[in-house]
Amino acid sequence: MKTASTSAPASAPGDEPTWLTDEEQCVWRSYIEAATLLEDHLDRQLQRDAGMPHIYYGLLVKLAESPRRRLRMTELAMHAKITRSRLSHAVARLEKNGWVRREDCPSDKRGQFAVLTEEGLEVLKRSAPGHVAAVRQAVFERLTPEQQKSLGEIMRIVAEGLQPSEAGADLPWLR
């Protein structure tokens, strides 16, 4: 069965879509399989070693890298590439664990900051070595330096193409 290319221009009703070639379909399916398996691998490692899913780890990392270990919730959602609703749920779970707290924004009554707590920073420090080892083993040890460079370039191109800058773009953190 052929699948439609998501990058193909919209076809007029009744027009045949631009199908993926066999080679394109092979590349696409390899990407989907690898991305799914990698996310599962990293999620299981972090659940086992730190009691948190991969997405929570990413939120803690972003907060740790931010000035005063705090970010506005909308900015954190943008960095995590998730909806504000999903972020709110994740932060609620992180708050329950004592790893993050929310603070009201003094300049915007509706805005809130997510702040990494000392306990959250300690959890991050304890879980980082195992996570880095899992990433290194799953990705970097399998690729040559040239392949690593190519992968980085390819992923930047794909990400840039999926983040339109025009007003009204349908992006997760704007929903």
Side-chain angles (χ1 to χ4, degrees):
M1 179 172 116
K2 298 219 178 211
T3 51
S5 169
T6 57
S7 63
S11 301
D15 284 354
E16 185 73 12
T18 305
W19 298 108
L20 297 178
T21 66
D22 289 344
E23 187 174 326
E24 288 170 333
Q25 193 165 136
C26 183
V27 169
W28 175 246
R29 288 182 180 177
S30 293
Y31 164 77
I32 292 295
E33 183 177 0
T36 301
L37 289 170
L38 179 61
E39 185 60 30
D40 179 68
H41 175 72
L42 297 176
D43 207 53
R44 283 184 294 114
Q45 177 271 318
L46 283 163
Q47 286 285 6
R48 180 183 64 243
D49 295 351
M52 75 176 96
H54 190 217
I55 190 147
Y56 292 11
Y57 179 85
L59 295 173
L60 297 180
V61 167
K62 192 61 194 167
L63 289 171
E65 293 172 343
S66 299
R68 298 176 55 208
R69 297 191 319 239
R70 70 178 47 224
L71 274 176
R72 288 196 55 147
M73 292 284 284
T74 52
E75 191 175 347
L76 187 55
M78 182 187 72
H79 286 293
K81 311 292 186 247
I82 59 176
T83 63
R84 290 177 289 193
S85 172
R86 185 170 180 201
L87 175 67
S88 184
H89 176 75
V91 168
R93 295 287 307 271
L94 292 169
E95 280 181 303
K96 186 176 177 183
N97 291 340
W99 300 345
V100 170
R101 72 175 181 276
R102 292 183 214 216
E103 292 180 356
D104 291 332
C105 178
S107 63
D108 177 3
K109 294 202 183 278
R110 295 184 320 163
Q112 285 191 317
F113 287 97
V115 182
L116 182 66
T117 64
E118 286 298 323
E119 186 178 347
L121 184 59
E122 287 306 312
V123 166
L124 186 58
K125 287 178 181 178
R126 284 193 311 269
S127 58
H131 180 64
V132 170
V135 169
R136 183 167 296 290
Q137 176 271 327
V139 179
F140 294 101
E141 290 176 1
R142 298 173 188 276
L143 302 175
T144 66
E146 295 80 21
Q147 290 171 323
Q148 292 174 25
K149 183 178 178 188
S150 294
L151 179 63
E153 291 169 356
I154 291 165
M155 292 296 100
R156 272 189 295 283
I157 290 167
V158 171
E160 287 169 5
L162 293 171
Q163 290 191 108
S165 57
E166 68 269 3
D170 184 22
L171 296 169
W173 53 94
L174 299 176
R175 290 185 220 135

